[in-house]
Amino acid sequence: MGLPVYARAVNPAGPSKLDPGQVGIAVACGNVVCYPGDAIIGDRDGIIVIARSAIPTLAEQVKQQEPNCTVFHSGPDPELEMLGTAACL
């Protein structure tokens, strides 16, 4: 499938199979508690959890940041390339 997998260790026993489990409760992932409604965002570098209450504020900040991202993704500045610092971008 080509999906990345993030793991700190292997747990051969797995979760308890004595009951059907629960849905819509907090779970711990890598020492971080994830609550229902939290956003879990990942890429090849890792995963972050954003609290549901912070999502509207962060969404607004991302909109304000977008013009900067457009400049960043347009490529290295030719003047910086001549200085040999284009790799820092």
Side-chain angles (χ1 to χ4, degrees):
M1 291 179 74
L3 298 174
V5 175
Y6 299 91
R8 288 188 177 189
V10 176
N11 185 352
S16 171
K17 295 176 180 51
L18 300 176
D19 58 46
Q22 297 178 346
V23 176
I25 63 168
V27 296
C29 299
N31 296 325
V32 175
V33 179
C34 304
Y35 295 94
D38 288 354
I40 300 174
I41 302 172
D43 64 11
R44 72 178 79 189
D45 295 323
I47 299 172
I48 62 170
V49 177
I50 301 173
R52 182 181 199 166
S53 61
I55 293 172
T57 303
L58 290 174
E60 186 59 39
Q61 291 174 350
V62 167
K63 287 178 188 174
Q64 293 172 3
Q65 180 84 19
E66 192 159 358
N68 297 333
C69 292
T70 303
V71 170
F72 177 78
H73 290 295
S74 66
D77 185 328
E79 291 180 23
L80 292 178
E81 265 188 56
M82 290 187 324
L83 297 174
T85 57
C88 296
L89 298 176

